[in-house]
Amino acid sequence: MENFETYQTPLSSRYASKEMAQLFSPARRFSTWRQLWLNLAVAEKQLGLNISDEAVEQMKANLNLDAKQFEIAAEEEKKRRHDVMAHVHTFGQVAPAAAGIIHLGATSCYVTDNADLIFMREGLTLLIRKLAVVIDRFSSFAAQYRDLPTLGFTHFQPAQVTTVGKRATLWIQELLWDLRNLQRARSDLGFRGVKGTTGTQASFLALFDGDHEKVEELDRLVTSLSGFSYAYPVTSQTYSRKIDIDTLSPLSSFGATAHKIATDLRLLANLKEVEEPFESTQIGSSAMAYKRNPMRSERICSLARHLMTLQQNALMTASIQWFERTLDDSANRRITIPEAFLTADIVLTTLQNVSEGLVVYPKVIARRLSQELPFMATENLIMAIVKNGGDRQEAHEKIRVLSHEAAYQVKQLGLENDLIERVKKDPYFDPIKDQIEQLLDPKTFYGRAPEQVDKFLKDWVRPALTDEELQATLQKGSKAELHV
């Protein structure tokens, strides 16, 4: 028998937030089914069907299942081999006045599909709010280090100078796109409504003696009672499984963003420039006591890979639905949809924890920059010579020779880069020797990076987080804590 308190998987039981685990718990699933049956009965009664006030009141009073009802439902399912009908009979035992009208005119997908749409919408809300916090935390980091010069990398080879804060804006921009995608997916979600066994509403038309207007009003009423602004205009027995693609796609896309951020942080940890939080009593390796492994970032990458693959299940399931419906979608979706939301939730919690405790080592950053900066400064040295009346080609040749000599010291002898000392000793560069230190200032190499950070945060991040819902979340100011 399923545990009636939480959706039991290795993910949810150890890492997922309480809110997300509860959302995809059996207790929440079956209480939602009961709410949907209540909504249907209320709407049918309002439109004239013979449903007593007592039936409605008994349903209202028994929306949540206790342990005994879970046991009854499990026994009913063993006997009937049908989960929905098992719960219809279980609900009828605690609401006997309603036993004869529960599920009236409906098919199983009335509760299963509509419940899934409710869960996905609420799940997106939880993810949107958590993502806003992560964006806010990384934005504070970017602002703090807006003008700290650091060596940029292309192909993971030394490139031009950027800043620690500017690099963080690259992460934030992708997170903003994820926020947009999640919000768009949530706003697009509709309701299956009351459509009958193959989507024709034939059973409801029979209930209302051929009154088409009442059937349409029933669909509208149940949709409204269930908290949705619209129902999909046409369905088969199920809502189109393409909706699952549209919902899981932004989750998988976020997985790619999280993987990229965590990978960058793992590389920075190797360079000893930036590290994720590391507690004083934390152990990095059972054998190598000195190790400070970036285990949070590694966990993000591991789970993000899983998250990225889950969209494939939705794509394949949607593609093989025959005509009005086949049941080979059911078992797959019962795993895929909860796992996608639970995984995204865990990744966000971990990413928030990392973003709130990043440690930057400016002296290590400056040392690495100083090793590469002389080569980057060669163009500035040539321009300075030309401004003092020198010949560009002659200056270029001088720099080329000295650069190769310095490169030999670094690569063949393992010594420090002494290019600048060589330049200072060469009489050819006497006219600009008093300018050399200024020409080597890292801040003269990072262009508009600090201004780009400021403008990005002002024009893009702040407006994206001004939404009342997101502001309410940010004002709580709670930090993410990891249990493991």
Side-chain angles (χ1 to χ4, degrees):
M1 185 184 71
E2 290 180 296
N3 183 296
F4 64 89
E5 293 180 346
T6 185
Y7 179 83
Q8 289 294 303
T9 69
L11 287 175
S12 62
S13 60
R14 292 190 69 185
Y15 303 129
S17 67
K18 180 180 179 181
E19 295 82 4
M20 191 66 81
Q22 286 179 339
L23 178 62
F24 288 100
S25 68
R28 178 62 190 279
R29 170 171 293 277
F30 300 133
S31 67
T32 301
W33 286 9
R34 290 187 174 189
Q35 182 64 59
L36 287 164
W37 281 320
L38 172 62
N39 293 346
L40 179 61
V42 168
E44 288 175 336
K45 175 179 172 61
Q46 183 175 328
L47 292 171
L49 293 189
N50 185 22
I51 296 173
S52 68
D53 292 339
E54 183 182 12
V56 171
E57 291 306 315
Q58 287 184 2
M59 293 174 78
K60 286 181 180 178
N62 291 280
L63 293 177
N64 296 313
L65 290 75
D66 58 23
K68 180 62 176 177
Q69 290 177 63
F70 268 88
E71 291 174 2
I72 294 171
E75 288 301 316
E76 288 283 351
E77 187 169 352
K78 284 182 182 178
K79 179 171 62 176
R80 303 178 189 280
R81 306 302 299 169
H82 196 289
D83 57 350
V84 173
M85 285 307 298
H87 279 272
V88 167
H89 285 275
T90 303
F91 196 12
Q93 289 190 31
V94 292
I101 58 91
I102 294 171
H103 201 65
L104 183 59
T107 188
S108 296
C109 287
Y110 167 70
V111 287
T112 58
D113 273 32
N114 282 323
D116 283 342
L117 291 165
I118 291 170
F119 301 147
M120 289 194 291
R121 188 175 66 170
E122 293 189 22
L124 287 169
T125 294
L126 292 174
L127 296 180
I128 286 166
R129 292 173 181 175
K130 295 186 79 166
L131 179 53
V133 174
V134 172
I135 292 171
D136 177 73
R137 301 299 191 264
F138 274 119
S139 296
S140 297
F141 178 83
Q144 181 178 355
Y145 296 102
R146 59 183 289 279
D147 59 354
L148 179 61
T150 190
L151 185 63
F153 291 95
T154 58
H155 314 276
F156 201 34
Q157 300 298 313
Q160 288 296 315
V161 180
T162 183
T163 70
V164 172
K166 171 61 192 302
R167 178 177 284 148
T169 63
L170 303 179
W171 305 334
I172 298 166
Q173 180 168 246
E174 295 193 8
L175 292 171
L176 285 177
W177 291 333
D178 293 319
L179 180 65
R180 174 205 63 191
N181 293 343
L182 292 174
Q183 290 172 324
R184 184 181 293 164
R186 182 179 64 173
S187 65
D188 282 352
L189 273 179
F191 198 58
R192 176 192 175 275
V194 287
K195 299 296 197 295
T197 54
T198 57
T200 65
Q201 299 178 310
S203 58
F204 297 105
L205 193 63
L207 279 175
F208 289 104
D209 299 322
D211 191 328
H212 289 267
E213 290 186 4
K214 281 192 174 181
V215 174
E216 289 185 7
E217 181 63 8
L218 178 70
D219 202 1
R220 190 195 67 78
L221 278 174
V222 173
T223 298
S224 179
L225 286 169
S226 302
F228 283 77
S229 60
Y230 84 101
Y232 297 116
V234 292
T235 72
S236 60
Q237 186 175 99
T238 70
Y239 68 78
S240 169
R241 297 314 184 209
K242 197 168 181 67
I243 300 302
D244 295 344
I245 299 173
D246 292 347
T247 304
L248 267 57
S249 177
L251 273 63
S252 293
S253 180
F254 162 69
T257 301
H259 198 292
K260 186 267 191 295
I261 294 171
T263 299
D264 282 357
L265 291 172
R266 291 167 67 186
L267 294 172
L268 289 169
N270 175 265
L271 297 174
K272 297 179 174 61
E273 294 187 0
V274 181
E275 288 183 343
E276 65 178 38
F278 196 94
E279 279 75 25
S280 60
T281 57
Q282 183 174 330
I283 296 173
S285 168
S286 62
M288 296 168 280
Y290 61 88
K291 293 289 289 293
R292 291 172 66 94
N293 298 332
M295 63 91 173
R296 291 170 173 84
S297 296
E298 290 173 319
R299 181 185 300 170
I300 290 170
C301 288
S302 179
L303 292 174
R305 289 200 307 274
H306 176 60
L307 181 57
M308 285 186 278
T309 66
L310 292 176
Q311 184 196 7
Q312 290 300 316
N313 274 336
L315 287 164
M316 295 172 71
T317 296
S319 71
I320 52 85
Q321 287 302 287
W322 302 347
F323 300 117
E324 280 66 47
R325 188 282 154 92
T326 57
L327 194 60
D328 59 357
D329 65 333
S330 180
N332 186 298
R333 293 177 67 254
R334 292 186 189 208
I335 298 172
T336 298
I337 294 174
E339 284 296 306
F341 280 90
L342 288 162
T343 306
D345 177 79
I346 300 161
V347 170
L348 277 168
T349 298
T350 313
L351 194 56
Q352 179 184 339
N353 178 265
V354 169
S355 69
E356 291 171 343
L358 287 173
V359 180
V360 177
Y361 297 103
K363 291 184 179 179
V364 176
I365 293 172
R367 183 175 182 274
R368 177 164 287 103
L369 194 55
S370 69
Q371 293 172 335
E372 300 294 338
L373 201 59
F375 293 132
M376 298 180 197
T378 55
E379 185 70 15
N380 287 4
L381 295 172
I382 292 171
M383 293 301 100
I385 284 289
V386 173
K387 287 181 180 179
N388 274 274
D391 180 274
R392 191 267 177 198
Q393 316 314 331
E394 186 178 341
H396 184 278
E397 179 60 18
K398 286 281 187 181
I399 289 292
R400 186 189 70 81
V401 172
L402 295 177
S403 295
H404 282 284
E405 292 173 355
Y408 179 84
Q409 298 290 312
V410 174
K411 295 179 180 180
Q412 299 298 328
L413 304 181
L415 301 175
E416 295 295 322
N417 187 339
D418 64 352
L419 174 59
I420 298 306
E421 286 69 25
R422 291 174 182 274
V423 169
K424 288 179 178 178
K425 291 177 182 178
D426 193 319
Y428 179 80
F429 295 97
D430 284 348
I432 63 166
K433 281 182 180 176
D434 60 343
Q435 303 176 41
I436 288 178
E437 292 305 320
Q438 181 181 351
L439 293 172
L440 288 171
D441 182 356
K443 293 186 176 181
T444 64
F445 289 86
Y446 61 39
R448 297 190 62 254
E451 290 74 21
Q452 287 182 339
V453 172
D454 295 341
K455 186 172 178 59
F456 175 69
L457 295 178
K458 176 177 177 290
D459 293 350
W460 293 93
V461 178
R462 290 174 194 163
L465 301 181
T466 55
D467 179 88
E468 185 176 335
E469 173 191 11
L470 302 185
Q471 281 297 306
T473 300
L474 295 175
Q475 287 169 11
K476 293 178 182 178
S478 58
K479 289 193 173 184
E481 295 185 6
L482 299 183
H483 301 295
V484 185

